[in-house]
Every structure is written in structure tokens, then in C-alpha cells.
Amino acid sequence: RREQARLKASLVEEDTEQWQKDPHFSGLQRVGGVDLSYIKGDESRACASLVVLSFPALEVLYQDCRMVAVTAPYVAGFLAFREVPVLVEAVQRLQREEPQLQPQVLLVDGNGLLHPRGFGTACHLGVLTDLPCIGVAKNLLHVDGLVRDELHREQVRSLQRSGETFPLTGTSGKVLGMVLRSCSSSSRPLYVSVGHRVSLGTAVRLVRACCRFRIPEPIRQVRARGTGQG
């Protein structure tokens, strides 16, 4: 908890880059995705994957998938301490070997501010790499009074078209993220939250711009490679 609090002190919840302020993301050329895929039946080994896609074409420019040992135990609310170190290594490897392909933003298969202490994997990774990060989750994390009750399901049903959203406001009154219908062909939404160096509005716009299907392309591509390895 102390380490989380220490890192959280460096968290930036607003746009810091010029391309983020442009309605068409002019200047954004590379979008990254990261993921850790475990081997079925073996929680001690996983495939750490990083991909970088061009933007707006969303074509793969770089991929790095390698098997790693995972030594930290899983503790609810502290998943980042188990997974982020190997993802940081993947980012640092790219920075050393192909610095011209460094992503300008990372999409993380997980949560950012939508977390029991407001510091999920996307925040943790963002602070340690100092890259803009966005959390993109497929399921609602039950924190700060947020639950997948009938009201929530009714709000999800009300999302008729691709790009429609509603805010996730906790009982504390803080908006922790946005529910996004990412494509018209899927009624299942995404849960988008701020990771680091990006505003919530920009995060939602960018996730939507990266979606050909329900899952944004950087995460879809990185998961396909990681699962293939595992």
C-alpha cells in the first residue's frame, strides 16, 4: 500500500501531449498494447507481449512476445506488482532496440483509476514508463459502490450506437471511468479509465478510434500473439 501511494503521487490525470488536444489526433503515429497471458494450469509462467501499431491505419509495426517467470503472488488490488515489472522490461527493450518505434500511448488490458485505491495496472505502468496509458477492461470492477445491477444493465442497454458512453460515478461522487459501446455489432461495452498522462475524454475518444471490432486493435493484436505463445 505504501509503494502504491508513493507511485500514485506521480500520477497525472490530464492530457500532456499536443496530439491529445487535436480532434483528429494529428501527430499521433504509434499506439501500443501490452498484455500478460498465463499458461493454462501454470501461474508461474506467462507470455509478456507488447505490440506497436501505426495510427490511424492500425497496422502492426513491432511485436515482442516472450515467456517470463512470474514470481510475485496474486493479491487482489495489487495485481500490478505481479505483472507490471515484466511489461516495463518489454517497453525498455523496445526503447533500447527500436527507439524510433516507441509508442506515444499504451492501451492496457485492465484498469487505471477504476481500482480500489485509484491506482490500477494502467496507472502503475504509466508512472513507471512515463508514457500516456489507458485502461481498457472487458468487465466492471466492483469498487466505490459500482455494481453490475439492473440499473447498470439498463444503462448498458441504452447504448444504441458505436461511440455512445455513460460515466461510472462511484458513491464517493468521483467519476472513475466511462462505459463505451465500442462498435455497433457488439452490445457488450468496454470500461475505459485513465491510466497516466491522459484525460478521460481523450482516453475514450482514442479507444473508440482504435476499434475495428469490440476490443481495440492494440489489445486485440497483443492478446492474439500472447495467447498463441501460451
Side-chain angles (χ1 to χ4, degrees):
R1 284 176 183 264
R2 283 196 301 272
E3 180 66 2
Q4 256 183 356
R6 185 185 73 79
L7 292 171
K8 189 178 178 181
S10 300
L11 186 64
V12 177
E13 299 179 34
E14 57 206 37
D15 295 330
T16 60
E17 306 304 298
Q18 199 57 44
W19 60 262
Q20 295 168 327
K21 302 175 175 74
D22 186 279
H24 305 293
F25 296 122
S26 296
L28 177 61
Q29 298 176 315
R30 296 173 306 282
V31 180
V34 292
D35 184 51
L36 205 65
S37 301
Y38 293 90
I39 293 177
K40 196 170 182 179
D42 185 357
E43 289 292 300
S44 66
R45 294 175 69 237
C47 181
S49 306
L50 164 66
V51 298
V52 181
L53 275 60
S54 63
F55 187 87
L58 301 177
E59 295 172 346
V60 176
L61 302 173
Y62 173 92
Q63 58 181 321
D64 178 7
C65 310
R66 57 185 70 196
M67 298 305 299
V68 295
V70 181
T71 54
Y74 170 72
V75 181
F78 298 95
L79 178 66
F81 288 95
R82 178 174 168 85
E83 299 194 342
V84 166
V86 293
L87 298 177
V88 169
E89 287 176 10
V91 171
Q92 291 173 338
R93 204 157 43 239
L94 165 60
Q95 290 169 331
R96 284 194 310 270
E97 297 172 5
E98 303 273 4
Q100 74 282 6
L101 294 179
Q102 172 168 292
Q104 293 161 277
V105 59
L106 283 172
L107 270 58
V108 180
D109 187 2
N111 293 297
L113 293 181
L114 187 57
H115 177 270
R117 285 168 299 283
F119 199 74
T121 301
C123 299
H124 203 123
L125 182 63
V127 168
L128 289 182
T129 61
D130 199 31
L131 290 172
C133 277
I134 299 170
V136 185
K138 296 182 286 297
N139 299 296
L140 175 64
L141 187 65
H142 293 189
V143 296
D144 197 11
L146 295 172
V147 289
R148 214 170 146 269
D149 56 9
E150 186 52 39
L151 172 61
H152 180 80
R153 285 191 285 269
E154 182 54 43
Q155 288 177 302
V156 168
R157 285 192 290 270
S158 74
L159 300 176
Q160 298 296 316
R161 292 184 303 278
S162 166
E164 290 190 346
T165 62
F166 67 85
L168 286 166
T169 306
T171 53
S172 65
K174 183 175 175 63
V175 175
L176 301 176
M178 293 287 273
V179 182
L180 167 70
R181 181 163 183 171
S182 55
C183 73
S184 296
S185 60
S186 175
S187 59
R188 293 181 298 158
L190 297 174
Y191 298 89
V192 180
S193 56
V194 168
H196 182 54
R197 291 178 57 189
V198 64
S199 68
L200 183 56
T202 297
V204 171
R205 282 197 306 123
L206 182 60
V207 170
R208 174 67 194 91
C210 288
C211 285
R212 289 175 175 160
F213 307 99
R214 179 195 174 213
I215 306 299
E217 209 59 16
I219 291 177
R220 204 176 75 86
Q221 293 290 343
V222 81
R223 283 195 65 80
R225 284 157 176 76
T227 306
Q229 291 289 318

